[in-house]
Amino acid sequence: MVSKLKELSEDDLEDISNFLSETIVKKISSSVRSQKEILDMDVSIEIDYPNENGELDVDASVEIGIDELSDLSDEIIDEVIDGSYLELDEYINEHYR
């Protein structure tokens, strides 16, 4: 059984947002052979807390411009985001429960 989240402050929410954003950027950067493949990248994190269930809801989206020769696909980006959510779950369990 997963224990309940502690009451989160604005600083906590900012920390959670920064952690997820940095994790996504790091994982995408390591998914390409050269950083030159990434022309621009914007990661946005939306946090709804508390949502209607009194829980934390985190949504990440990535806008990315890549070089036409890059192998980076939408599928890879989706896998990166999914993996980043798993890391976020662990981070929240360690720091906010």
Side-chain angles (χ1 to χ4, degrees):
M1 158 125 187
V2 177
S3 63
K4 196 168 152 66
L5 275 178
K6 72 174 195 170
E7 188 76 22
L8 299 175
S9 68
E10 284 299 315
D11 285 346
D12 294 337
L13 296 176
E14 187 175 324
D15 182 51
I16 289 167
S17 176
N18 289 339
F19 176 84
L20 183 57
S21 178
E22 290 167 7
T23 302
I24 290 171
V25 168
K26 207 175 351 176
K27 285 178 167 287
I28 288 177
S29 295
S30 67
S31 298
V32 293
R33 285 187 296 276
S34 166
Q35 295 308 304
K36 294 178 184 174
E37 292 181 39
I38 299 172
L39 305 176
D40 61 17
M41 180 170 24
D42 182 38
V43 177
S44 60
I45 309 294
E46 287 186 34
I47 293 184
D48 184 13
Y49 174 79
N51 67 11
E52 62 276 359
N53 300 326
E55 297 171 345
L56 176 66
D57 187 22
V58 182
D59 187 37
S61 61
V62 178
E63 296 278 326
I64 189 165
I66 55 173
D67 183 85
E68 59 192 33
L69 300 175
S70 176
D71 293 334
L72 193 61
S73 65
D74 289 341
E75 291 79 23
I76 293 171
I77 293 169
D78 288 344
E79 288 174 18
V80 163
I81 291 173
D82 290 345
S84 298
Y85 278 129
L86 294 175
E87 286 190 35
L88 178 65
D89 286 344
E90 289 178 24
Y91 183 77
I92 288 172
N93 286 338
E94 288 175 21
H95 296 90
Y96 298 106
R97 293 207 187 269

